[in-house]
Amino acid sequence: SLTPLAQSIVADITDELNRGTIFGRIVCFMQTGSIIASLAGTSLADRNMFGLQGWRMVYGCSALLAAALALWMAVDMENPPRAARDLAMDGNGSLAAALRREFRRITTFLRVPTFCI
């Protein structure tokens, strides 16, 4: 779910007076999108379009919309100024060290057995 990410972005870029309105709009659009996606996804899931199963097209369209939104945000959104201490990724400020640490955490999840037959 991207809700915590959206909430943190709104908290960073809006002033306190408008924050409630923006949060309300985000929730409204997320719920509206969920309803529309459910209606469209279930009605297209069992059909074939362009030689592909409908559910694959639904996932493909969702991926394209997400990529377009990410690109739009990367190009158009301004990050608020941060203090130097907030920019540090870990104790020594190394992004590579932080990425290595996260990669090690992720690989521990891959070692958990999921299907024991």
Side-chain angles (χ1 to χ4, degrees), residues 38-103:
S38 296
L39 292 173
T42 54
S43 65
L44 297 175
D46 62 346
R47 298 182 183 179
N48 285 327
M49 295 176 284
F50 307 110
L52 295 172
Q53 295 169 330
W55 66 270
R56 292 178 188 263
M57 292 295 291
V58 171
Y59 277 108
C61 289
S62 297
L64 289 175
L65 287 172
L69 179 62
L71 180 65
W72 176 40
M73 287 179 65
V75 170
D76 196 42
M77 189 173 144
E78 291 182 29
N79 287 326
R82 298 276 186 205
R85 64 178 173 78
D86 292 338
L87 293 176
M89 299 307 272
D90 60 1
N92 62 9
S94 168
L95 176 62
L99 290 174
R100 281 192 300 275
R101 188 172 57 248
E102 285 299 314
F103 183 73

Short mmCIF file of all heavy atoms in Angstrom, two decimals, residues 38-103:
data_model
loop_
_atom_site.label_atom_id
_atom_site.label_comp_id
_atom_site.label_asym_id
_atom_site.label_seq_id
_atom_site.Cartn_x
_atom_site.Cartn_y
_atom_site.Cartn_z
N SER A 38 -11.84 -2.17 -9.26
CA SER A 38 -12.56 -3.43 -9.00
C SER A 38 -13.59 -3.71 -10.08
O SER A 38 -13.71 -4.84 -10.57
CB SER A 38 -13.24 -3.37 -7.64
OG SER A 38 -12.29 -3.28 -6.62
N LEU A 39 -14.34 -2.68 -10.44
CA LEU A 39 -15.36 -2.87 -11.48
C LEU A 39 -14.73 -3.20 -12.83
O LEU A 39 -15.17 -4.11 -13.53
CB LEU A 39 -16.23 -1.61 -11.59
CG LEU A 39 -17.13 -1.31 -10.40
CD1 LEU A 39 -17.80 0.05 -10.58
CD2 LEU A 39 -18.18 -2.40 -10.25
N ALA A 40 -13.71 -2.46 -13.20
CA ALA A 40 -13.07 -2.68 -14.50
C ALA A 40 -12.29 -3.99 -14.50
O ALA A 40 -12.34 -4.75 -15.47
CB ALA A 40 -12.14 -1.52 -14.84
N GLY A 41 -11.57 -4.24 -13.43
CA GLY A 41 -10.73 -5.44 -13.37
C GLY A 41 -11.53 -6.73 -13.42
O GLY A 41 -11.18 -7.67 -14.15
N THR A 42 -12.62 -6.79 -12.68
CA THR A 42 -13.41 -8.02 -12.68
C THR A 42 -14.16 -8.21 -13.99
O THR A 42 -14.34 -9.34 -14.43
CB THR A 42 -14.41 -8.03 -11.51
OG1 THR A 42 -15.20 -6.85 -11.54
CG2 THR A 42 -13.69 -8.14 -10.19
N SER A 43 -14.57 -7.13 -14.62
CA SER A 43 -15.29 -7.29 -15.89
C SER A 43 -14.35 -7.63 -17.04
O SER A 43 -14.77 -8.24 -18.02
CB SER A 43 -16.10 -6.03 -16.21
OG SER A 43 -15.24 -4.95 -16.43
N LEU A 44 -13.09 -7.24 -16.95
CA LEU A 44 -12.14 -7.53 -18.02
C LEU A 44 -11.31 -8.79 -17.79
O LEU A 44 -10.63 -9.27 -18.69
CB LEU A 44 -11.17 -6.35 -18.18
CG LEU A 44 -11.78 -5.02 -18.60
CD1 LEU A 44 -10.73 -3.93 -18.60
CD2 LEU A 44 -12.43 -5.14 -19.97
N ALA A 45 -11.37 -9.35 -16.61
CA ALA A 45 -10.48 -10.45 -16.24
C ALA A 45 -10.66 -11.69 -17.11
O ALA A 45 -9.68 -12.36 -17.45
CB ALA A 45 -10.68 -10.83 -14.78
N ASP A 46 -11.88 -12.00 -17.50
CA ASP A 46 -12.10 -13.24 -18.25
C ASP A 46 -12.14 -13.04 -19.77
O ASP A 46 -12.41 -13.97 -20.51
CB ASP A 46 -13.38 -13.92 -17.77
CG ASP A 46 -14.61 -13.06 -18.00
OD1 ASP A 46 -14.45 -11.86 -18.28
OD2 ASP A 46 -15.73 -13.61 -17.89
N ARG A 47 -11.84 -11.86 -20.25
CA ARG A 47 -11.85 -11.58 -21.68
C ARG A 47 -10.44 -11.62 -22.25
O ARG A 47 -9.47 -11.49 -21.52
CB ARG A 47 -12.44 -10.20 -21.95
CG ARG A 47 -13.87 -10.11 -21.49
CD ARG A 47 -14.43 -8.77 -21.80
NE ARG A 47 -15.79 -8.71 -21.28
CZ ARG A 47 -16.55 -7.66 -21.36
NH1 ARG A 47 -16.11 -6.58 -21.95
NH2 ARG A 47 -17.76 -7.67 -20.87
N ASN A 48 -10.34 -11.80 -23.56
CA ASN A 48 -9.06 -11.73 -24.25
C ASN A 48 -8.99 -10.43 -25.03
O ASN A 48 -9.91 -10.08 -25.76
CB ASN A 48 -8.89 -12.91 -25.21
CG ASN A 48 -8.59 -14.19 -24.46
OD1 ASN A 48 -7.94 -14.17 -23.43
ND2 ASN A 48 -9.06 -15.31 -24.99
N MET A 49 -7.87 -9.72 -24.86
CA MET A 49 -7.67 -8.46 -25.56
C MET A 49 -6.28 -8.47 -26.17
O MET A 49 -5.30 -8.71 -25.46
CB MET A 49 -7.81 -7.28 -24.60
CG MET A 49 -9.20 -7.15 -24.02
SD MET A 49 -9.31 -5.83 -22.81
CE MET A 49 -8.51 -6.59 -21.42
N PHE A 50 -6.22 -8.21 -27.45
CA PHE A 50 -4.94 -8.16 -28.17
C PHE A 50 -4.13 -9.44 -27.98
O PHE A 50 -2.90 -9.41 -27.88
CB PHE A 50 -4.11 -6.94 -27.75
CG PHE A 50 -4.85 -5.64 -27.85
CD1 PHE A 50 -5.23 -4.95 -26.72
CD2 PHE A 50 -5.19 -5.12 -29.10
CE1 PHE A 50 -5.92 -3.75 -26.82
CE2 PHE A 50 -5.88 -3.92 -29.20
CZ PHE A 50 -6.24 -3.25 -28.07
N GLY A 51 -4.82 -10.56 -27.87
CA GLY A 51 -4.14 -11.84 -27.72
C GLY A 51 -3.66 -12.13 -26.31
O GLY A 51 -2.97 -13.12 -26.08
N LEU A 52 -4.01 -11.30 -25.36
CA LEU A 52 -3.62 -11.51 -23.96
C LEU A 52 -4.85 -11.68 -23.10
O LEU A 52 -5.93 -11.17 -23.43
CB LEU A 52 -2.82 -10.32 -23.43
CG LEU A 52 -1.46 -10.06 -24.07
CD1 LEU A 52 -0.89 -8.75 -23.57
CD2 LEU A 52 -0.51 -11.20 -23.78
N GLN A 53 -4.68 -12.41 -22.02
CA GLN A 53 -5.79 -12.55 -21.09
C GLN A 53 -6.08 -11.20 -20.44
O GLN A 53 -5.17 -10.40 -20.19
CB GLN A 53 -5.45 -13.58 -20.02
CG GLN A 53 -5.27 -14.97 -20.58
CD GLN A 53 -4.67 -15.92 -19.56
OE1 GLN A 53 -3.91 -15.51 -18.71
NE2 GLN A 53 -5.04 -17.20 -19.68
N GLY A 54 -7.35 -10.96 -20.16
CA GLY A 54 -7.77 -9.67 -19.66
C GLY A 54 -7.12 -9.27 -18.35
O GLY A 54 -6.77 -8.10 -18.14
N TRP A 55 -6.93 -10.22 -17.44
CA TRP A 55 -6.33 -9.86 -16.16
C TRP A 55 -4.89 -9.40 -16.34
O TRP A 55 -4.41 -8.55 -15.60
CB TRP A 55 -6.43 -11.01 -15.16
CG TRP A 55 -5.64 -12.23 -15.52
CD1 TRP A 55 -6.07 -13.29 -16.26
CD2 TRP A 55 -4.29 -12.50 -15.15
NE1 TRP A 55 -5.06 -14.21 -16.38
CE2 TRP A 55 -3.96 -13.76 -15.70
CE3 TRP A 55 -3.33 -11.82 -14.43
CZ2 TRP A 55 -2.71 -14.33 -15.55
CZ3 TRP A 55 -2.08 -12.40 -14.27
CH2 TRP A 55 -1.79 -13.65 -14.82
N ARG A 56 -4.22 -9.92 -17.37
CA ARG A 56 -2.86 -9.46 -17.64
C ARG A 56 -2.88 -8.02 -18.17
O ARG A 56 -1.99 -7.22 -17.86
CB ARG A 56 -2.17 -10.37 -18.65
CG ARG A 56 -1.89 -11.74 -18.09
CD ARG A 56 -1.24 -12.62 -19.15
NE ARG A 56 -1.14 -13.98 -18.72
CZ ARG A 56 -0.05 -14.51 -18.19
NH1 ARG A 56 1.02 -13.78 -18.03
NH2 ARG A 56 -0.03 -15.77 -17.81
N MET A 57 -3.88 -7.70 -18.96
CA MET A 57 -4.01 -6.33 -19.46
C MET A 57 -4.30 -5.36 -18.31
O MET A 57 -3.77 -4.24 -18.30
CB MET A 57 -5.14 -6.25 -20.50
CG MET A 57 -4.83 -6.98 -21.79
SD MET A 57 -3.46 -6.25 -22.69
CE MET A 57 -4.18 -4.71 -23.20
N VAL A 58 -5.10 -5.79 -17.35
CA VAL A 58 -5.40 -4.94 -16.20
C VAL A 58 -4.13 -4.64 -15.43
O VAL A 58 -3.85 -3.49 -15.07
CB VAL A 58 -6.47 -5.60 -15.29
CG1 VAL A 58 -6.63 -4.83 -13.99
CG2 VAL A 58 -7.80 -5.68 -16.02
N TYR A 59 -3.31 -5.66 -15.19
CA TYR A 59 -2.04 -5.44 -14.48
C TYR A 59 -1.10 -4.57 -15.31
O TYR A 59 -0.40 -3.71 -14.77
CB TYR A 59 -1.36 -6.77 -14.14
CG TYR A 59 -1.89 -7.40 -12.89
CD1 TYR A 59 -2.68 -8.54 -12.95
CD2 TYR A 59 -1.61 -6.86 -11.64
CE1 TYR A 59 -3.16 -9.13 -11.80
CE2 TYR A 59 -2.09 -7.44 -10.49
CZ TYR A 59 -2.86 -8.57 -10.57
OH TYR A 59 -3.34 -9.14 -9.43
N GLY A 60 -1.08 -4.78 -16.61
CA GLY A 60 -0.22 -3.98 -17.48
C GLY A 60 -0.62 -2.52 -17.47
O GLY A 60 0.23 -1.62 -17.39
N CYS A 61 -1.92 -2.25 -17.55
CA CYS A 61 -2.40 -0.87 -17.50
C CYS A 61 -2.09 -0.23 -16.15
O CYS A 61 -1.69 0.94 -16.09
CB CYS A 61 -3.90 -0.81 -17.78
SG CYS A 61 -4.33 -1.18 -19.48
N SER A 62 -2.24 -0.99 -15.08
CA SER A 62 -1.91 -0.47 -13.75
C SER A 62 -0.43 -0.12 -13.67
O SER A 62 -0.05 0.91 -13.09
CB SER A 62 -2.26 -1.49 -12.67
OG SER A 62 -3.62 -1.73 -12.65
N ALA A 63 0.42 -0.98 -14.22
CA ALA A 63 1.86 -0.72 -14.20
C ALA A 63 2.21 0.52 -15.01
O ALA A 63 3.05 1.33 -14.59
CB ALA A 63 2.63 -1.94 -14.73
N LEU A 64 1.58 0.68 -16.17
CA LEU A 64 1.84 1.87 -16.98
C LEU A 64 1.39 3.15 -16.28
O LEU A 64 2.09 4.17 -16.31
CB LEU A 64 1.15 1.74 -18.34
CG LEU A 64 1.76 0.72 -19.30
CD1 LEU A 64 0.91 0.61 -20.56
CD2 LEU A 64 3.19 1.11 -19.64
N LEU A 65 0.22 3.11 -15.65
CA LEU A 65 -0.26 4.27 -14.91
C LEU A 65 0.67 4.60 -13.74
O LEU A 65 0.98 5.77 -13.48
CB LEU A 65 -1.68 4.05 -14.41
CG LEU A 65 -2.77 4.10 -15.47
CD1 LEU A 65 -4.11 3.66 -14.87
CD2 LEU A 65 -2.88 5.49 -16.04
N ALA A 66 1.14 3.58 -13.04
CA ALA A 66 2.06 3.80 -11.92
C ALA A 66 3.38 4.39 -12.40
O ALA A 66 3.94 5.30 -11.77
CB ALA A 66 2.29 2.50 -11.16
N ALA A 67 3.89 3.89 -13.52
CA ALA A 67 5.14 4.42 -14.07
C ALA A 67 4.97 5.87 -14.52
O ALA A 67 5.84 6.70 -14.30
CB ALA A 67 5.62 3.55 -15.23
N ALA A 68 3.83 6.17 -15.13
CA ALA A 68 3.57 7.55 -15.57
C ALA A 68 3.47 8.49 -14.36
O ALA A 68 4.02 9.61 -14.38
CB ALA A 68 2.28 7.61 -16.39
N LEU A 69 2.81 8.05 -13.30
CA LEU A 69 2.71 8.86 -12.10
C LEU A 69 4.08 9.07 -11.46
O LEU A 69 4.42 10.18 -11.03
CB LEU A 69 1.76 8.22 -11.10
CG LEU A 69 1.58 8.94 -9.77
CD1 LEU A 69 0.99 10.32 -9.99
CD2 LEU A 69 0.70 8.12 -8.84
N ALA A 70 4.89 8.02 -11.40
CA ALA A 70 6.24 8.14 -10.83
C ALA A 70 7.10 9.11 -11.64
O ALA A 70 7.83 9.93 -11.08
CB ALA A 70 6.90 6.77 -10.77
N LEU A 71 6.99 9.03 -12.96
CA LEU A 71 7.75 9.94 -13.81
C LEU A 71 7.29 11.38 -13.62
O LEU A 71 8.10 12.30 -13.50
CB LEU A 71 7.61 9.53 -15.28
CG LEU A 71 8.35 10.39 -16.29
CD1 LEU A 71 9.86 10.27 -16.07
CD2 LEU A 71 8.00 9.96 -17.70
N TRP A 72 5.98 11.58 -13.56
CA TRP A 72 5.43 12.92 -13.34
C TRP A 72 5.91 13.49 -12.01
O TRP A 72 6.33 14.64 -11.93
CB TRP A 72 3.91 12.85 -13.40
CG TRP A 72 3.22 14.15 -13.10
CD1 TRP A 72 3.60 15.41 -13.51
CD2 TRP A 72 2.03 14.33 -12.35
NE1 TRP A 72 2.71 16.34 -13.04
CE2 TRP A 72 1.73 15.71 -12.34
CE3 TRP A 72 1.17 13.46 -11.71
CZ2 TRP A 72 0.63 16.23 -11.69
CZ3 TRP A 72 0.07 13.98 -11.07
CH2 TRP A 72 -0.20 15.35 -11.06
N MET A 73 5.88 12.66 -10.96
CA MET A 73 6.34 13.13 -9.66
C MET A 73 7.83 13.44 -9.67
O MET A 73 8.27 14.43 -9.07
CB MET A 73 6.03 12.10 -8.57
CG MET A 73 4.57 12.02 -8.22
SD MET A 73 4.22 10.78 -6.99
CE MET A 73 5.08 11.43 -5.58
N ALA A 74 8.62 12.62 -10.36
CA ALA A 74 10.07 12.86 -10.41
C ALA A 74 10.40 14.14 -11.14
O ALA A 74 11.33 14.86 -10.77
CB ALA A 74 10.75 11.67 -11.08
N VAL A 75 9.62 14.47 -12.16
CA VAL A 75 9.89 15.67 -12.96
C VAL A 75 9.31 16.92 -12.31
O VAL A 75 9.97 17.96 -12.25
CB VAL A 75 9.31 15.49 -14.39
CG1 VAL A 75 9.35 16.79 -15.16
CG2 VAL A 75 10.06 14.40 -15.12
N ASP A 76 8.11 16.83 -11.77
CA ASP A 76 7.38 18.03 -11.37
C ASP A 76 7.44 18.35 -9.88
O ASP A 76 7.25 19.50 -9.49
CB ASP A 76 5.91 17.87 -11.78
CG ASP A 76 5.17 19.18 -11.76
OD1 ASP A 76 5.75 20.20 -12.19
OD2 ASP A 76 4.02 19.19 -11.29
N MET A 77 7.68 17.38 -9.03
CA MET A 77 7.60 17.61 -7.59
C MET A 77 8.90 18.15 -7.03
O MET A 77 9.97 17.64 -7.31
CB MET A 77 7.25 16.30 -6.88
CG MET A 77 6.94 16.47 -5.45
SD MET A 77 6.37 14.90 -4.80
CE MET A 77 7.06 14.97 -3.19
N GLU A 78 8.78 19.19 -6.23
CA GLU A 78 9.95 19.76 -5.56
C GLU A 78 10.03 19.20 -4.15
O GLU A 78 9.03 19.18 -3.42
CB GLU A 78 9.83 21.28 -5.48
CG GLU A 78 9.94 21.95 -6.81
CD GLU A 78 9.88 23.46 -6.67
OE1 GLU A 78 10.30 23.98 -5.62
OE2 GLU A 78 9.40 24.09 -7.61
N ASN A 79 11.20 18.74 -3.76
CA ASN A 79 11.40 18.25 -2.40
C ASN A 79 11.61 19.43 -1.46
O ASN A 79 12.28 20.39 -1.80
CB ASN A 79 12.62 17.33 -2.33
CG ASN A 79 12.35 15.99 -2.97
OD1 ASN A 79 11.23 15.50 -2.90
ND2 ASN A 79 13.35 15.42 -3.57
N PRO A 80 11.05 19.34 -0.27
CA PRO A 80 11.28 20.42 0.70
C PRO A 80 12.74 20.39 1.17
O PRO A 80 13.38 19.34 1.14
CB PRO A 80 10.32 20.07 1.84
CG PRO A 80 10.08 18.61 1.72
CD PRO A 80 10.18 18.30 0.25
N PRO A 81 13.26 21.53 1.57
CA PRO A 81 14.65 21.55 2.04
C PRO A 81 14.81 20.72 3.30
O PRO A 81 13.92 20.66 4.14
CB PRO A 81 14.92 23.03 2.33
CG PRO A 81 13.59 23.66 2.45
CD PRO A 81 12.63 22.84 1.65
N ARG A 82 15.94 20.05 3.40
CA ARG A 82 16.23 19.18 4.54
C ARG A 82 17.50 19.65 5.23
O ARG A 82 18.41 20.17 4.59
CB ARG A 82 16.44 17.74 4.09
CG ARG A 82 15.26 17.12 3.44
CD ARG A 82 14.34 16.59 4.49
NE ARG A 82 13.27 15.85 3.85
CZ ARG A 82 12.11 15.69 4.41
NH1 ARG A 82 11.86 16.18 5.59
NH2 ARG A 82 11.18 15.03 3.80
N ALA A 83 17.57 19.38 6.51
CA ALA A 83 18.80 19.66 7.24
C ALA A 83 19.84 18.61 6.88
O ALA A 83 19.51 17.51 6.43
CB ALA A 83 18.52 19.63 8.74
N ALA A 84 21.09 18.93 7.05
CA ALA A 84 22.17 18.02 6.68
C ALA A 84 22.08 16.71 7.45
O ALA A 84 22.35 15.64 6.92
CB ALA A 84 23.52 18.67 6.93
N ARG A 85 21.63 16.76 8.70
CA ARG A 85 21.55 15.53 9.48
C ARG A 85 20.44 14.61 8.96
O ARG A 85 20.51 13.40 9.11
CB ARG A 85 21.33 15.84 10.95
CG ARG A 85 20.03 16.53 11.25
CD ARG A 85 19.87 16.75 12.76
NE ARG A 85 18.71 17.56 13.04
CZ ARG A 85 17.46 17.10 13.03
NH1 ARG A 85 17.23 15.84 12.75
NH2 ARG A 85 16.45 17.91 13.29
N ASP A 86 19.40 15.16 8.34
CA ASP A 86 18.32 14.34 7.79
C ASP A 86 18.74 13.65 6.50
O ASP A 86 18.10 12.69 6.09
CB ASP A 86 17.09 15.20 7.51
CG ASP A 86 16.46 15.71 8.78
OD1 ASP A 86 16.69 15.09 9.84
OD2 ASP A 86 15.74 16.73 8.71
N LEU A 87 19.77 14.15 5.83
CA LEU A 87 20.20 13.55 4.57
C LEU A 87 21.04 12.31 4.77
O LEU A 87 21.20 11.51 3.85
CB LEU A 87 20.98 14.58 3.75
CG LEU A 87 20.18 15.77 3.25
CD1 LEU A 87 21.09 16.75 2.54
CD2 LEU A 87 19.08 15.31 2.32
N ALA A 88 21.60 12.12 5.93
CA ALA A 88 22.48 10.97 6.17
C ALA A 88 21.65 9.69 6.14
O ALA A 88 20.62 9.58 6.77
CB ALA A 88 23.17 11.11 7.52
N MET A 89 22.13 8.69 5.39
CA MET A 89 21.42 7.43 5.27
C MET A 89 21.70 6.50 6.45
O MET A 89 20.90 5.66 6.78
CB MET A 89 21.79 6.73 3.96
CG MET A 89 21.45 7.54 2.74
SD MET A 89 19.76 8.08 2.73
CE MET A 89 18.98 6.72 1.95
N ASP A 90 22.84 6.62 7.04
CA ASP A 90 23.17 5.87 8.24
C ASP A 90 24.18 6.69 9.03
O ASP A 90 24.35 7.87 8.78
CB ASP A 90 23.70 4.47 7.90
CG ASP A 90 24.95 4.50 7.06
OD1 ASP A 90 25.44 5.60 6.75
OD2 ASP A 90 25.45 3.42 6.72
N GLY A 91 24.82 6.07 9.99
CA GLY A 91 25.72 6.79 10.87
C GLY A 91 26.81 7.56 10.16
O GLY A 91 27.17 8.67 10.53
N ASN A 92 27.37 6.97 9.08
CA ASN A 92 28.44 7.67 8.37
C ASN A 92 27.95 8.36 7.10
O ASN A 92 28.75 8.90 6.35
CB ASN A 92 29.58 6.71 8.05
CG ASN A 92 29.15 5.57 7.14
OD1 ASN A 92 28.04 5.58 6.62
ND2 ASN A 92 30.01 4.59 6.97
N GLY A 93 26.65 8.35 6.83
CA GLY A 93 26.10 9.07 5.69
C GLY A 93 26.29 8.38 4.35
O GLY A 93 26.10 8.98 3.32
N SER A 94 26.64 7.11 4.35
CA SER A 94 26.92 6.40 3.12
C SER A 94 25.66 5.73 2.58
O SER A 94 25.05 4.89 3.25
CB SER A 94 28.01 5.34 3.37
OG SER A 94 28.10 4.47 2.28
N LEU A 95 25.27 6.10 1.39
CA LEU A 95 24.13 5.48 0.74
C LEU A 95 24.42 4.02 0.43
O LEU A 95 23.56 3.15 0.60
CB LEU A 95 23.76 6.24 -0.54
CG LEU A 95 22.64 5.64 -1.38
CD1 LEU A 95 21.34 5.62 -0.60
CD2 LEU A 95 22.48 6.42 -2.66
N ALA A 96 25.63 3.70 0.00
CA ALA A 96 26.00 2.32 -0.33
C ALA A 96 25.87 1.42 0.89
O ALA A 96 25.38 0.29 0.79
CB ALA A 96 27.41 2.28 -0.89
N ALA A 97 26.30 1.91 2.05
CA ALA A 97 26.20 1.09 3.27
C ALA A 97 24.74 0.85 3.63
O ALA A 97 24.37 -0.26 4.05
CB ALA A 97 26.93 1.78 4.41
N ALA A 98 23.91 1.86 3.48
CA ALA A 98 22.49 1.70 3.78
C ALA A 98 21.84 0.71 2.82
O ALA A 98 21.03 -0.12 3.22
CB ALA A 98 21.78 3.04 3.71
N LEU A 99 22.20 0.75 1.54
CA LEU A 99 21.66 -0.19 0.57
C LEU A 99 22.10 -1.61 0.86
O LEU A 99 21.31 -2.56 0.73
CB LEU A 99 22.06 0.22 -0.85
CG LEU A 99 21.38 1.49 -1.37
CD1 LEU A 99 21.96 1.88 -2.73
CD2 LEU A 99 19.88 1.29 -1.47
N ARG A 100 23.37 -1.78 1.24
CA ARG A 100 23.85 -3.13 1.60
C ARG A 100 23.09 -3.68 2.80
O ARG A 100 22.70 -4.85 2.82
CB ARG A 100 25.35 -3.10 1.90
CG ARG A 100 26.22 -3.08 0.67
CD ARG A 100 27.68 -3.36 1.02
NE ARG A 100 28.26 -2.39 1.95
CZ ARG A 100 28.79 -1.23 1.59
NH1 ARG A 100 28.86 -0.91 0.31
NH2 ARG A 100 29.29 -0.41 2.49
N ARG A 101 22.86 -2.83 3.79
CA ARG A 101 22.14 -3.28 4.97
C ARG A 101 20.70 -3.69 4.61
O ARG A 101 20.21 -4.72 5.06
CB ARG A 101 22.14 -2.15 6.01
CG ARG A 101 21.57 -2.57 7.35
CD ARG A 101 21.74 -1.52 8.43
NE ARG A 101 21.14 -0.24 8.07
CZ ARG A 101 21.83 0.87 7.82
NH1 ARG A 101 23.14 0.88 7.89
NH2 ARG A 101 21.20 1.99 7.50
N GLU A 102 20.03 -2.90 3.79
CA GLU A 102 18.67 -3.25 3.37
C GLU A 102 18.64 -4.52 2.54
O GLU A 102 17.74 -5.34 2.66
CB GLU A 102 18.03 -2.09 2.60
CG GLU A 102 17.61 -0.95 3.47
CD GLU A 102 16.58 -1.36 4.50
OE1 GLU A 102 15.60 -2.05 4.16
OE2 GLU A 102 16.75 -0.99 5.67
N PHE A 103 19.63 -4.70 1.67
CA PHE A 103 19.70 -5.91 0.85
C PHE A 103 19.86 -7.13 1.74
O PHE A 103 19.23 -8.16 1.50
CB PHE A 103 20.86 -5.80 -0.14
CG PHE A 103 20.95 -6.97 -1.06
CD1 PHE A 103 20.04 -7.15 -2.08
CD2 PHE A 103 21.95 -7.92 -0.90
CE1 PHE A 103 20.12 -8.24 -2.94
CE2 PHE A 103 22.03 -9.02 -1.73
CZ PHE A 103 21.11 -9.17 -2.74
#
